[in-house]
Structures are given as structure tokens and as C-alpha cells.
Amino acid sequence: MKSILLASTALVAFAGAAAADGHTSISHSLSATLGYNDNNGNTIINDDETGFYWEGNLKTTASATLDNGLTAGAYFEITIAEDNDTANDDGGQDLSSSDFVLSLEAENGSGLFFGDTGRAAEKYWKSAGDMESDGVSTGSDSAVLRGDVVVGPAKASVSYIIDEASDSEEQLSFGAEYDAGVAVITAAYQEETDFADADGDFNADEIWGLSAQGTFGGATVTVAYAENVTDDQQSAGIKVAYPFGPVTATAYFVDEQGGALDGEPNFGVNVAYADGPIGVTVDYQDDQGTQKWSVEGSYDVGNGLTVFAGALDETEDDADYYVAAKYDLGGGADFLISYAVDKDGGAEDEIGSDEYQEGTTVELNFSF
């Protein structure tokens, strides 16, 4: 496997030289943030920025068409953030690389991908609401090697996590999709592993699932079945989304059985309204007997100014709430001011759909 990886990397890294007669493109994008946050003295928040903070992010995308018709690609990010050495905080910066993807693709979509790319199961899986048994891994601190194959209306992918410490392949993941016209049928599978990944979205369990999604009379219907083999849990659900005028209503119901589940179903309703300057979303969920709700809205005042407000409760405790305003300065720049309160006192802030920070935040953002 090591030799395969080296060969794959070399193909992409030297794509420019191999594509002398082809087409090569390189693009860059830069974003920067300068902000200040006062988190109401809540010392248990672990993902807030406190006081002044700043960050810059550079994204580079390159592609080259090879003589044989394949397209080689490379993507990477470099992040520049404030110096986290509080003992010697001199306004310096920490420089780190983040996402990177190397790829080699054919015209029909088949290809080989290596880096911070999605696993095969997560690429295709379509859930039918909040299913307890379909938690395939969706994030990784490790590189992933994935191969995609496309044949007409059928697509399939296989992937492995590449553990750099042991130079081994971990957790086989498989996903497939078939467009049958009336519906798109998907399958997903990941094997059980004793590999440990620090990413919070990693799941070491063996999981498989089948789903189908189609549109009938304007309504998008998804039915799905998933099983966590490791925990002996099963989920079977249906989700229906129907738009009428400026409103889209979505409802789901999931039967939950086995393992640590007590047979209580999961169900939820979401109503989203968007018309002109007004946007409102109302959401209600009952997950294993725990009720969650949220009401969030926005209003485009005009002249670049949009205001936001919302309240939400995910713990059957006091509701969190926020108010915010964003002003579009033009040219890829905007100014944000927000005030958010985390009433349940959790260790994660990210309040509301836009993930506002606890307390008062003033932030200036640039994109180039």
C-alpha cells in the first residue's frame, strides 16, 4: 500500500510537467477575520474565542488536464492564527496546514482521491431524519484514500483511513448509488475497527444501511434502514419534504429498536419560510424522549444590513437565545455584531444555525 500511495501522490504532484500539452489552472482565495468576544465570564466554554482574536486562511486549488484525458488536481489550505502561547503573547502567529486533497479523475467522474476527503459511506448515505443507528464516520484527523467508479447511472466508492503512525489501512468504508429514474437508491457500509481517531465524528462501530429517495407529486420522500451491528441497534425511518409557495415543510419518523435503545421513536417537524426580505425557520424534534425546539428568523433591512434573532432549547432546560446583525461592506467584506446566551451552561457554544459565540462578539471578515 505504501508504494501505491507514493505512486498516486507522484502522479498528482508532477501533473504540471506531464500536462505540457494540456490545460493547467491554479486559483487562490484568501479570507481573514479580526474580532473581539466577551463570553460573559463563562469559563467552561471550550470553543469560544475570548478577547481579541484573528485568523487568516489561504486556499489553493490547482488542476491539470493530462495527455490521456485524465485530470490531476491538488487542493490545500494554510491557516494563520493568533499565537496560542499566552505566556509570551506578542501578537505573533501560528502557521498550520489544514485540509489537503490530491486527486486523479476521469471525465465520467471516476477517480482516486487522497487526503482530507470524505469516506465512501458518508459520500452516498442519505438518512431519513435523526436515525440513531446510521452514525457512519464523517470526519478524520487522518488522511483518507478513496476510489470512485462511475458506470452509467451507477456509482460506487471504496475508502480506507491511512494511519501514518503504523503505515496501515484502517476501517474499510463502502458506498454506492443507483439512479433508477423514479428514485435514487443508496447503500453504505463501514467495518468495525479498533483504530482510534481523535476527530469527534469518528465512529469505530460496524454499520450498514440502505435508503431510497424520490420525488412524487412535488414531495421529496426518503425511506431508510440502518443497523449498528456492533451495538445491535436498528433504525427504520421515513422523511417527507414538501414545498408550497414560500414555505417548505419537512417531517420525519424513525422507529428505533435494539441495543441501548428503549424502543422510543424519533420524530420531528421543520417549517421554513422564505419570501423577500423575511426568513423564518421553526423546528421541533423528539429524540428518544428528549424534546428539542428552535425558532430562528432573519430580516434583510436593505443597504447591506441583515438582522437575525433566535431561541432554541436542546436540553429541556432554559432556552438559549441570540440577536445579531451583519452589514455587507461590499468587495467580499462584512461586519458582524452578535449577542448570544447559552442558558444550559454546556461546554459547546455554537448557538443557533449560524453558530454564534457565547456573549458579545464584534467581528470583521474579509474574502479575496
Side-chain angles (χ1 to χ4, degrees), residues 119-129 131 134 136 153-157 174-190 207-214 221-227 235 237 239:
R119 297 181 178 89
E122 69 172 296
K123 177 177 171 65
Y124 293 101
W125 175 245
K126 291 182 174 63
S127 68
M131 305 177 70
D134 71 342
V136 295
K155 303 177 182 179
S157 300
F174 170 80
E177 173 185 292
Y178 180 76
D179 190 344
V182 66
V184 176
I185 302 169
T186 61
Y189 172 81
Q190 72 174 33
I207 295 171
W208 68 272
L210 294 171
S211 69
Q213 184 178 87
V221 180
T222 305
V223 293
Y225 175 85
E227 180 173 352
S235 302
K239 180 173 70 173

Side-chain angles (χ1 to χ4, degrees), residues 195-264:
F195 175 71
D197 194 304
D199 192 282
D201 295 324
F202 177 77
N203 190 339
D205 295 345
E206 180 182 5
I207 295 171
W208 68 272
L210 294 171
S211 69
Q213 184 178 87
T215 301
F216 310 93
T220 299
V221 180
T222 305
V223 293
Y225 175 85
E227 180 173 352
N228 185 313
V229 179
T230 303
D231 294 337
D232 190 26
Q233 295 181 176
Q234 304 84 37
S235 302
I238 181 170
K239 180 173 70 173
V240 180
Y242 185 75
F244 49 97
V247 177
T248 299
T250 304
Y252 70 86
F253 179 88
V254 182
D255 179 57
E256 303 285 3
Q257 299 292 333
L261 305 177
D262 57 8
E264 287 233 23

